[in-house]
Amino acid sequence: MAIATINPATGETLKTFEPLNDAEIAAKLDLANQTFEKYRQTSFSERSHWLQKAAEILEQDKADFAKLMTLEMGKPFKAAIAEVEKCAAVCRYYAEHTPAFLADVSVKTDASQSFVRYQPMGAILAVMPWNFPFWQVFRFAAPALMAGNVGLLKHASNVPQCALAIEDIIRRAGFPEGAFQTLLIGAAKVADLMADDRIKAATLTGSEPAGASLAVAAGKQIKKTVLELGGSDPFIVLESADLETAVVTATTARMLNNGQSCIAAKRFIVAEAIADKFEKLLLEKFEALKVGDPMQSDTDLGPLATPGILQDLDQQVQAATKSGGKVLTGGHPLSDRPGNFYPPTIIIDIPLEASIAKEEFFGPVALLFRVPDIDAAIKLANDIPFGLGASAWTTNNQESDRLVEEIEAGAVFINSMVKSDPRLPFGGIKRSGYGRELSIQGIHEFVNLKTVWVK
């Protein structure tokens, strides 16, 4: 993929970039290493001050950053504004809490003194996706920088201006030159970076194949990785649920980021007793959504990020119908306008044994399944290679306890949509990846837990 800004609402190529050559990459790695030796000696107070300043810049210029995101990957402008604000929040969260998160932990032993000390590792490579081009980066950068690491960002090739803007924010905030650098390179260069001794660890948010490729490259070098990959999150609605609220939330959860979110609700698993009503209400909500220019405030659904994503999604929908599924609404790209637009789509009656029923649909397509009871709902929710998040709706406490205990996922939200929060660890199991971001667990992923024994 070319490193370029291509407006997904129009298909127009707005700006292209030359990828860094080997000498330029080497220079940036050298700078990162040199910066780390001094930066690791800075105090939490200094890092906190710089990160608070980054939060201020994000808030002051949020309209500009939001417009850039909408221009490069098509998310509705109002959602882009919210994303920038969330980035400011994660900066403030780690600026405030890191001194406690990384304080020495004393352990009573037969030594005169024994404790655990948390120390930075060095240069951490972040391979980040286009769908949340600011948030995915800042939820890595904030804890990494506060821990004393330096960052190198290999962003998705279709959001290069977002990548450069983030580097500029870190620089303007006062962090030392080289503390956070953007590498405008293609995916083929990642394996070489992982083989370089100057890179100490890596994190990736993206597809299964991308995660597997990074894990292989890192494994050859015995380097730590954190992977946050795909998901086909279940949205379970049982008979006792507040149906009206569940349907409203289901619509929001499926259409989040134009349907292009790893934690978007994708498989709607509904108790048979209420399935007819849920289906009718969901259809009404989907058909009321406005598809259009993502810069307009009344737009609910913008374009998909690239023509390739549009094509892949449509092929999945056609495969679902060939397997026996029925399309209630939508089901084909919108050909009456330029850009990568796909309408809100609902598919029912997909056979559970069909392979397409277990795939991730990365766009505004909802798969609706009916089940007789909670046992069948949990079984269907777990019968998938992924395990990122799950939303479940019930007012029965016993059902709630079972859902929390038995659903195989990194997160279970009861009577709410799945979302990330700086205060809570985020990540998945199975083929959705490993490791955690955010909270205290996230900042501990890329530090050396050093045991100290003094006698």
Side-chain angles (χ1 to χ4, degrees):
M1 182 186 291
I3 300 176
T5 300
I6 302 172
N7 187 339
T10 65
E12 181 185 4
T13 299
L14 302 176
K15 194 169 185 179
T16 59
F17 296 82
E18 282 296 318
L20 298 176
N21 59 39
D22 289 344
E24 290 169 326
I25 295 171
K28 286 184 176 289
L29 289 173
D30 279 339
L31 177 59
N33 246 25
Q34 293 163 10
T35 300
F36 173 66
E37 292 308 318
K38 295 180 181 178
Y39 181 66
R40 68 181 303 174
Q41 304 300 328
T42 59
S43 66
F44 286 139
S45 177
E46 289 174 297
R47 298 173 204 165
S48 176
H49 173 74
W50 295 326
L51 201 55
Q52 294 277 14
K53 182 62 178 177
E56 292 174 12
I57 294 169
L58 283 161
E59 291 175 336
Q60 289 167 3
D61 298 340
K62 63 184 177 182
D64 293 336
F65 300 137
K67 183 178 180 180
L68 194 55
M69 280 190 272
T70 299
L71 188 70
E72 290 204 301
M73 57 71 56
K75 77 169 67 244
F77 179 72
K78 56 189 176 184
I81 288 284
E83 180 170 335
V84 180
E85 291 172 343
K86 192 171 183 178
C87 292
V90 80
C91 287
R92 290 201 168 96
Y93 175 80
Y94 279 107
E96 178 182 348
H97 292 284
T98 294
F101 287 165
L102 299 185
D104 290 350
V105 177
S106 295
V107 180
K108 188 174 182 179
T109 67
D110 55 338
S112 302
Q113 185 183 19
S114 51
F115 57 92
V116 177
R117 174 160 293 174
Y118 301 98
Q119 294 183 314
M121 299 175 68
I124 313 297
L125 174 67
V127 182
M128 294 288 110
W130 47 264
N131 58 337
F132 292 92
F134 268 60
W135 169 244
Q136 304 279 13
V137 177
F138 273 97
R139 76 182 191 189
F140 152 75
L145 290 170
M146 277 303 300
N149 295 306
V150 298
L152 291 161
L153 171 64
K154 184 273 178 251
H155 218 326
S157 295
N158 59 327
V159 290
Q161 294 191 66
C162 287
L164 292 170
I166 293 168
E167 179 184 27
D168 187 56
I169 291 167
I170 301 298
R171 183 186 301 113
R172 286 166 59 194
F175 285 91
E177 192 74 19
F180 191 91
Q181 300 176 82
T182 282
L183 305 178
L184 292 183
I185 57 174
K189 290 289 186 182
V190 171
D192 291 339
L193 286 173
M194 291 309 301
D196 194 298
D197 288 341
R198 291 167 290 190
I199 299 290
K200 304 305 180 185
T203 181
L204 178 144
T205 299
S207 67
E208 269 188 86
S213 177
L214 181 76
V216 168
K220 289 179 179 178
Q221 308 300 324
I222 322 295
K223 291 182 180 178
K224 173 75 177 289
T225 55
V226 169
L227 303 180
E228 194 265 281
L229 309 179
S232 188
D233 283 8
F235 190 102
I236 299 170
V237 186
L238 299 179
E239 189 174 352
S240 69
D242 177 346
L243 197 57
E244 297 284 345
T245 304
V247 170
V248 171
T249 308
T251 305
T252 302
R254 176 61 283 209
M255 296 301 152
L256 178 69
N257 205 41
N258 303 336
Q260 302 165 120
S261 171
C262 53
I263 55 169
K266 300 185 175 90
R267 296 178 299 136
F268 296 84
I269 301 170
V270 186
E272 185 67 54
I274 56 169
D276 285 345
K277 187 174 182 182
F278 181 90
E279 181 181 299
K280 178 179 180 291
L281 292 172
L282 189 68
L283 181 61
E284 290 173 359
K285 293 293 184 185
F286 272 39
E287 292 186 335
L289 295 169
K290 182 178 179 180
V291 182
D293 180 356
M295 285 301 298
Q296 298 300 313
S297 61
D298 61 344
T299 293
D300 299 304
L301 191 69
L304 300 180
T306 69
I309 294 166
L310 179 73
Q311 182 180 14
D312 289 346
L313 183 68
D314 189 49
Q315 287 176 349
Q316 287 180 297
V317 172
Q318 305 319 312
T321 59
K322 287 178 182 178
S323 74
K326 177 184 175 183
V327 175
L328 292 184
T329 187
H332 293 282
L334 297 178
S335 57
D336 61 342
R337 67 195 77 189
N340 313 318
F341 290 93
Y342 205 91
T345 298
I346 300 173
I347 307 176
I348 63 172
D349 298 338
I350 299 177
L352 299 185
E353 66 274 11
S355 60
I356 196 70
K358 302 180 189 300
E359 291 185 8
E360 177 180 25
F361 283 65
F362 216 62
V365 177
L367 310 184
L368 183 57
F369 301 93
R370 296 173 179 233
V371 292
D373 52 32
I374 187 173
D375 293 327
I378 292 172
K379 181 179 179 181
L380 181 55
N382 291 339
D383 186 23
I384 199 156
F386 302 107
L388 192 53
S391 176
W393 294 73
T394 177
T395 56
N396 181 299
N397 290 337
Q398 289 183 329
E399 289 180 341
S400 177
D401 290 343
R402 282 197 62 192
L403 292 161
V404 168
E405 183 64 26
E406 297 179 32
I407 290 177
E408 298 168 355
V412 176
F413 281 58
I414 302 296
N415 298 327
S416 179
M417 63 180 277
V418 179
K419 59 186 177 182
S420 57
D421 184 312
R423 298 165 293 187
L424 294 168
F426 181 87
I429 60 172
K430 300 196 281 191
R431 299 190 74 86
S432 290
Y434 52 75
R436 292 295 181 266
E437 296 178 287
L438 303 177
S439 191
I440 186 172
Q441 289 81 8
I443 200 169
H444 284 176
E445 291 284 6
F446 293 119
V447 292
N448 173 24
L449 279 70
K450 180 181 284 185
T451 294
V452 179
W453 175 287
V454 181
K455 194 162 187 176

